[in-house]
Amino acid sequence: MSAYLQLFSAYTSSVILLLIIAILSAKYQGRRHAILWAFVVMAVVFFLTGYTRVLLVPFNADESRREFLLTGDEPAYLMTAVSIARDGDLNLANNVASKDYQLFQHRSYVGSGFQFYNSLSHNRLINQKEQWGDARFMRHRPGTSVLLAPVFFLADHNQRFWSYTIISFCFALFCGFSVYYLSQAVTIPLASVLVLCLLCGLSPPVYFYVNQAYPEIPSGILLALISMLFLKPGRTNLIPFALAAIVIWFSDRIILATLIICAGGFFNLPTKKQKVAAVFILGSSGLLFAWYCWHRFGVPYPIQHNTTMGFSWGKIPERLLQILFDARQGWVWHFPAILLLPAMLWKILRSRAVTLNHICLVSALSVLLVLVAAFDDWGAGTCPRGRYFVIPQLLFFVLAGIWLQEDKGRKGKMFWLVGLGSLSLAQLFWLAPHPKWWFAGFQPLFSWQEIHSLIFYLPFLPDNAEPTEWIKFLKMTPLLALPSLSCIFMEHRQQRADSAHGLAED
């Protein structure tokens, strides 16, 4: 079978599978069936992520295989998890001395000491040198390590395998909860939620990171949960604010988006007492976080720890095109359904039913993308492709659910969603059994040699890209704009038909 026939077969299979699920879930819905579908989705997600996990780091891996593709900052999160489990603190000095890093890799990991942090904080910590002593810490927030610490309490071997298992299990639970909650509490059609959940959860880059020890999956889950809980009709409660107090301990990148989403929920709290409680919950976590930053950096807020790359605010307009369409990292090539985002924003922001929570959700997603574009290291180094799109993709899941909530025009929207989403879902046939491909210097599917040459039809848009690459992108623009323009046109035609029908009745 030729490579192109294999691609077509994989795509067709994905489309048929999604359509069968949509039809069955539309026929069998209601509370009892929603619970059943939730468990089905959990099982499917956990099984597929487990299949790749066994290939990435087998349960009974030998020493050489145990650290296969262990990259970037993963050793930092795992080493800090060891310290939390064994010592109850974040100081890695004694763990480095006892070579605890050998639990998951041969090469050493020593963390960062006083000299690094003092230099990073521009000498603000100079008076604390004696207090620091030989203490060593990782450079990132400890939330992921806290999540993984139970592994080093309970497992006596292959802790990396079990760490990934915890993250993928949390994600499977999130998928199951989302199916039930959005279809029952928020009244988004069950078929729409199921299709969205499978597309957003099993497509790269999200699928890559359920088997990585990075903060993107747990922080993305928490932010998506906060957004979903604020969407429930009626007055909100304090649970989302408690989740928000936790999420800031996972990643600095998510703090501003979290505050924006919480701002919408805050004004929907029914009583002054609840508003005070929400401020207290967020304020308490914020003060503790400020103390943490003061100890690390000498200021009560996080600062950029990458000493070679920073932010380039002036490049944001150009970079927004880069992060979406660059052949090596572009989100569109990982997850083509994102081409529907303009149609979603057009529909949601123009709707008479738009609420402050909707506006805050759109704003949070926009802020996340702008921060990715502003960051000079938007490719995330040696990490699997598309790391910084994981959180936006989980917010896209919630936003797309709102878009599909109304009956009018839903079939046309689902046509485009299934058509585009299957392009990313079909990649699982090759990316799931080949985790090494995730670390390629370009869109991972093109590691398949039979289709490798196709990547050169896509625009390569690094900083200072050649004019020919931008011309290549401009030639593709009409095709890339077609899905959203089609949905907007169908929506506009539906509105005109409804107006004409209303006038006829009058």
Side-chain angles (χ1 to χ4, degrees):
M1 184 184 296
S2 71
Y4 300 108
L5 185 57
Q6 290 182 59
L7 283 172
F8 179 76
S9 299
Y11 175 75
T12 304
S13 300
S14 300
V15 170
I16 292 173
L17 176 63
L18 291 177
L19 290 177
I20 290 174
I21 290 172
I23 293 170
L24 288 176
S25 58
K27 183 177 180 181
Y28 299 102
Q29 47 187 326
R31 188 174 297 272
R32 291 177 60 187
H33 287 109
I35 295 174
L36 178 61
W37 281 111
F39 277 104
V40 169
V41 167
M42 286 174 56
V44 168
V45 170
F46 195 62
F47 170 78
L48 287 176
T49 56
Y51 166 71
T52 298
R53 182 166 58 257
V54 169
L55 296 175
L56 179 65
V57 49
F59 182 74
N60 292 314
D62 57 29
E63 290 190 5
S64 62
R65 184 73 177 181
R66 187 179 55 186
E67 56 184 317
F68 179 61
L69 299 179
L70 185 65
T71 61
D73 295 319
E74 284 189 281
Y77 292 112
L78 294 174
M79 191 69 163
T80 303
V82 175
S83 181
I84 293 171
R86 296 187 173 181
D87 311 322
D89 60 29
L90 304 177
N91 186 353
L92 306 178
N94 63 311
N95 305 100
V96 172
S98 58
K99 298 182 179 181
D100 287 341
Y101 49 79
Q102 292 182 348
L103 289 169
F104 46 84
Q105 66 179 21
H106 285 100
R107 61 190 187 277
S108 63
Y109 174 78
V110 298
S112 300
F114 174 79
Q115 293 299 334
F116 171 81
Y117 281 102
N118 189 48
S119 174
L120 190 67
S121 64
H122 303 292
N123 219 35
R124 294 190 189 97
L125 303 176
I126 191 63
N127 295 326
Q128 302 179 30
K129 184 175 182 179
E130 185 176 342
Q131 179 182 344
W132 271 66
D134 64 351
R136 308 195 72 84
F137 302 96
M138 74 166 176
R139 305 179 186 185
H140 310 286
R141 308 309 147 245
T144 305
S145 299
V146 172
L147 177 65
L148 301 181
V151 167
F152 297 94
F153 274 120
L154 303 173
D156 58 0
H157 71 291
N158 212 347
Q159 289 88 348
R160 183 182 169 203
F161 175 90
W162 288 115
S163 296
Y164 295 171
T165 302
I166 285 181
I167 291 177
S168 58
F169 181 68
C170 289
F171 185 71
L173 285 176
F174 163 76
C175 290
F177 174 82
S178 300
V179 167
Y180 180 80
Y181 182 82
L182 290 178
S183 64
Q184 301 304 304
V186 188
T187 66
I188 297 173
L190 179 60
S192 301
V193 177
L194 279 170
V195 169
L196 277 171
C197 196
L198 292 174
L199 288 183
C200 294
L202 298 178
S203 295
V206 167
Y207 186 80
F208 301 163
Y209 281 91
V210 290
N211 282 311
Q212 303 290 321
Y214 286 103
E216 272 65 29
I217 289 293
S219 55
I221 287 174
L222 289 170
L223 193 60
L225 284 174
I226 294 167
S227 304
M228 288 192 295
L229 292 173
F230 281 142
L231 292 179
K232 184 178 180 180
R235 296 295 187 178
T236 190
N237 55 42
L238 295 174
I239 294 177
F241 296 97
L243 296 178
I246 297 171
V247 74
I248 64 174
W249 291 94
F250 282 89
S251 173
D252 299 341
R253 295 173 179 274
I254 207 170
I255 293 175
L256 183 55
T258 302
L259 293 176
I260 291 172
I261 291 175
C262 286
F266 177 81
F267 290 104
N268 203 36
L269 287 170
T271 67
K272 184 177 180 179
K273 184 181 294 186
Q274 285 184 309
K275 290 181 179 179
V276 171
V279 172
F280 176 79
I281 291 171
L282 292 178
S284 299
S285 183
L287 287 173
L288 185 60
F289 186 73
W291 174 84
Y292 171 89
C293 293
W294 185 271
H295 176 265
R296 293 288 192 277
F297 314 119
V299 290
Y301 49 83
I303 61 177
Q304 169 63 18
H305 64 79
N306 191 320
T307 56
T308 59
M309 293 187 175
F311 290 86
S312 299
W313 299 108
K315 294 182 179 179
I316 288 176
E318 177 185 350
R319 285 261 184 86
L320 283 171
L321 296 176
Q322 290 175 330
I323 66 174
L324 291 175
F325 302 107
D326 177 71
R328 281 174 284 254
Q329 288 276 355
W331 191 13
V332 165
W333 314 124
H334 289 298
F335 187 62
I338 197 61
L339 290 173
L340 294 170
L341 185 59
M344 294 179 185
L345 302 183
W346 186 87
K347 168 62 179 174
I348 292 171
L349 296 179
R350 290 182 73 255
S351 173
R352 293 180 180 179
V354 66
T355 67
L356 181 59
N357 287 326
H358 294 152
I359 294 173
C360 288
L361 176 58
V362 170
S363 301
L365 179 56
S366 303
V367 164
L368 286 170
L369 293 177
V370 166
L371 287 177
V372 173
F375 190 45
D376 289 340
D377 188 27
W378 56 274
T382 59
C383 300
R385 300 303 88 186
R387 174 182 171 185
Y388 298 137
F389 301 126
V390 170
I391 299 171
Q393 190 161 310
L394 295 180
L395 279 192
F396 174 88
F397 164 59
V398 182
L399 198 67
I402 299 170
W403 184 56
L404 293 168
Q405 198 164 9
E406 293 185 4
D407 289 329
K408 294 178 180 178
R410 189 186 300 145
K411 289 184 178 179
K413 296 173 185 176
M414 286 291 288
F415 166 82
W416 278 111
L417 188 67
V418 170
L420 291 172
S422 295
L423 291 173
S424 56
L425 200 62
Q427 297 179 48
L428 281 186
F429 287 89
W430 295 273
L431 298 183
H434 296 98
K436 188 175 182 179
W437 287 6
W438 305 348
F439 297 83
F442 37 76
Q443 209 286 348
L445 186 61
F446 293 105
S447 293
W448 185 19
Q449 290 300 318
E450 285 81 354
I451 64 166
H452 180 73
S453 61
L454 290 178
I455 195 173
F456 299 107
Y457 290 95
L458 303 181
F460 287 81
L461 302 172
D463 291 338
N464 303 316
E466 295 292 331
T468 53
E469 297 299 325
W470 286 106
I471 293 172
K472 192 189 300 184
F473 164 69
L474 290 175
K475 289 180 179 179
M476 301 178 66
T477 301
L479 181 63
L480 296 172
L482 179 62
S484 279
L485 290 178
S486 174
C487 289
I488 291 173
F489 174 75
M490 288 188 295
E491 192 80 36
H492 182 65
R493 188 173 64 177
Q494 183 68 46
Q495 289 177 350
R496 291 183 62 182
D498 290 344
S499 299
H501 181 69
L503 290 174
E505 287 184 346
D506 291 341

